[in-house]
Amino acid sequence: MPMKHKTISLFIIILSLIIVILITLQWTKLREGTNQDDHLSVKQQIDIVHDSGKLKIKQTLQNLKNHTYFLKLPEAGVNFTFSHMELWDETNKSITVQDNTLTVEYEINTNPDNQAFLLENWMIQMNGVEIANTIVKISELKNMSGSWAAGAPMTYHEGLDQLQYYVFEKNDAHIPLYWQKVPLSYTYIAEKIPVYTVGKTDSHFLNSSIVSQLNREKEFPAVILTEQINPLQSVSLIIENPEIDRNVLSSLWMEQFLLSNIWAGKDEENWVMNILAGIITEQPPTDEVKGQIYAELKSKLAKNEVSKFISSILQTDQKITSLGEIDQLLGQIKGLNTSFFQDIAKEQTVGPLYFFTDEPIYVRNHKLENDRVYWLDHVYYFPIEPIVKKLNYQFEQISENEIFLTNGKTTFRFYENKDFFLLNEEQYGLLTKDGKLPYLTIKNEFYMQEEFFRKVFRIEINHQNNQFFIR
């Protein structure tokens, strides 16, 4: 085939591939609505009229792109009508938006005899659309003595003879709503946290030193203290009995605050927020395993280190996406590293809190690869096996608790968590600095205390320029 024909054929193939890719992208865009980046300014206003158990809802979304969107309708909703019914596809639950606006009206029915009710998934959602701001306006026509509350700040409330009018606003899409016949009082904690109570119930549950560290730009879960409905814990709304212990409430609230504002990691690792909430509020988790993690952290960190760790969590500029990032913040308070939370997730067991450095180790000018020096109780611990091999010793692990070393002339036996060793099969005791253990195992490997290493093997250990030199 002539070169010219080959070039034309190649061009046609490439052009065909481009067309296929463009069609695929266009179909994907249709299925998902449109890219979320195009919807950072989408706002919605929801007007609700409550009359004897029936809620008439009008939801208006503005600044949309003129595309076809797939909708998720609330299960409790009935009698849906759209501003352009001819553009609604009932089979696929999709609608084409015109004039960058979508208005939907529908109803939700509740039992008019209920003393209280909670609405959680009551809004219409659009696939691929991120809501930047939501305003909910509620007109109460019948139950003048009742009260509305929400998982959002109340920005306006007015009570008239024939009307109670409420406005809630939040920089998000999800606002759970709550209503009860018994009137609620509304207040803020430090002008930040919305709290609803019955009568003169004490509304304060957070330490002022904690509240002062909470960035006003964050989303604060609202709290309702009432006996009219079962407890609820979510990232935007917490409902609890007025008699709940305030320390317990502070930990519950802090966990939801962290999940909403700080954590963006895997759902299966959400458990770490419960522990951090306990550390911040000084309320030990009730779960046994989480309680062990809490206790280990509290026992290994000084009070000022705990305070630094709390501040690093609450004042982080970006959301935390992994256990590794939490380990990084934990290590920074000592200027070291740790894999504490990652190890718990990997091993499914609670191990000791160790800190380590990855600074290079040189033994007689030979650099060790992938070995760490651990820091425990203000003492360095060095890996025995790689170091003694560079010192011309043979290393043998006899059991989980015993190792044997020999260079042909001298033999050593060391035992985990023992304050003695065998030199040429004779027992010698050792008093180490401040009673620190001379050697221990970390992740099934034997480590030896710096001072003990020096004395037994008669070596020099120098720490210079972020490097360890052993001679």
Side-chain angles (χ1 to χ4, degrees), residues 266-284:
K266 300 176 182 177
D267 289 343
E268 58 267 29
E269 294 176 346
N270 282 354
W271 53 265
V272 72
M273 293 296 112
N274 179 264
I275 297 161
L276 294 182
I279 293 292
I280 293 169
T281 60
E282 298 187 54
Q283 180 67 24

Side-chain angles (χ1 to χ4, degrees), residues 429-445:
L430 182 67
L431 295 176
T432 59
K433 183 179 179 181
D434 298 326
K436 302 296 190 301
L437 292 172
Y439 26 78
L440 70 161
T441 58
I442 301 175
K443 298 183 180 179
N444 299 319
E445 293 186 20

Side-chain angles (χ1 to χ4, degrees), residues 263 265-266 268-273 320-329 338-346:
W263 182 247
K266 300 176 182 177
E268 58 267 29
E269 294 176 346
N270 282 354
W271 53 265
V272 72
M273 293 296 112
I320 297 172
T321 61
S322 69
L323 297 179
E325 291 180 19
I326 298 177
D327 281 332
Q328 185 177 5
L329 293 175
T338 186
S339 55
F340 179 64
F341 288 105
Q342 295 172 86
D343 291 342
I344 292 172
K346 182 179 179 180

